[in-house]
Amino acid sequence: MNLHTKIAVPYKRILVTCLPLLMLAMAASGGAATASFRAPAAVEDGQRDFDWEIGAWHTKVRVLADPLSESEDEWLQFEGTSVVRPLLDRRANVVELKVSGPNGRIEGLNLRLYEPQAMRWSLTFVNIRDGLLTPSVYGGFHDGVGEFYGDDQLRGRAITVRFLIFRQGPDKARFEQAYSDDGGQTWETNWIAVDNRIGNGG
């Protein structure tokens, strides 16, 4: 992510929430989403799973300053907007995230592409600060919850990345990113974004 901040923080991904950057299908009180909030049932292969998110959102982001470390947890706060735009007849979309806080700014793009042969989505974050793509996470929605996994590196060691999307109603969603350095046996959440649709209480 694009951070203009005084401290080095590994914000390579977003998920928007969508977060939003980071965003995406959620459940009431962070649990499993209800079927009424899923993508249209007529499309069963998943290529319209993100239709509900198209539009503008107000987002609040919390980022763990030093994930997978022995240091005491310090959460940094950011707030701003996340805008989701459809591409290629909604078989792809892009999230534009712009948030800021006492520790700086995060600006970036999250490109989501549907792979019809594999019936899965890839989510790839573009770091506006350096113009580089981060390794993608892959997956889809099951019972209304989005689960995406991929491989990356943190401070020179291999890690697994998990990105979750929960829809908490027609106009609210929650995005969580976590890292694992033991092959997915344990996870540490390092990114939490809560989005509210602008114009509907957002």
Side-chain angles (χ1 to χ4, degrees):
M1 302 184 172
N2 178 19
L3 285 197
H4 305 292
T5 176
K6 297 179 180 179
I7 62 178
V9 183
Y11 304 137
K12 294 181 65 181
R13 299 177 177 277
I14 169 98
L15 358 339
V16 221
T17 82
C18 289
L19 129 308
L21 50 338
L22 284 101
M23 329 145 189
L24 324 174
M26 297 196 75
S29 68
T34 61
S36 60
F37 296 132
R38 296 200 65 189
V43 181
E44 298 180 356
D45 63 2
Q47 72 178 32
R48 305 298 292 270
D49 277 343
F50 284 103
D51 280 10
W52 63 272
E53 199 194 357
I54 302 302
W57 301 75
H58 175 260
T59 182
K60 291 184 178 180
V61 181
R62 292 196 303 140
V63 182
L64 188 62
D66 194 13
L68 297 182
S69 71
E70 299 299 324
S71 62
E72 183 177 352
D73 288 355
E74 177 188 5
W75 287 90
L76 309 180
Q77 310 286 333
F78 301 87
E79 189 169 347
T81 59
S82 173
V83 179
V84 185
R85 297 182 175 88
L87 301 170
L88 300 173
D89 193 29
R90 301 199 177 199
R91 291 169 296 176
N93 61 75
V94 63
V95 182
E96 182 179 0
L97 178 71
K98 294 183 179 181
V99 294
S100 61
N103 296 99
R105 294 176 56 82
I106 302 174
E107 293 182 315
L109 298 176
N110 192 7
L111 178 63
R112 303 161 173 165
L113 300 173
Y114 185 68
E115 303 175 32
Q117 293 82 6
M119 296 181 66
R120 69 177 186 177
W121 286 86
S122 65
L123 280 56
T124 308
F125 185 74
V126 181
N127 188 329
I128 299 303
R129 180 179 56 187
D130 55 23
L132 299 177
L133 298 174
T134 62
S136 302
V137 291
Y138 300 89
F141 289 83
H142 307 281
D143 297 324
V145 178
E147 293 188 47
F148 306 86
Y149 295 87
D151 298 317
D152 204 342
Q153 289 196 348
L154 178 66
R155 295 189 291 272
R157 57 176 167 161
I159 61 169
T160 305
V161 180
R162 180 184 70 191
F163 191 70
L164 302 178
I165 301 170
F166 306 94
R167 196 171 178 193
Q168 297 177 315
D171 301 310
K172 186 175 181 179
R174 180 183 177 94
F175 308 86
E176 296 183 6
Q177 177 182 272
Y179 289 164
S180 173
D181 59 2
D182 58 13
Q185 297 183 50
T186 60
W187 296 91
E188 181 183 62
T189 300
N190 57 68
W191 169 285
I192 300 172
V194 176
D195 284 13
N196 287 276
R197 191 181 302 276
I198 293 176
N200 291 279

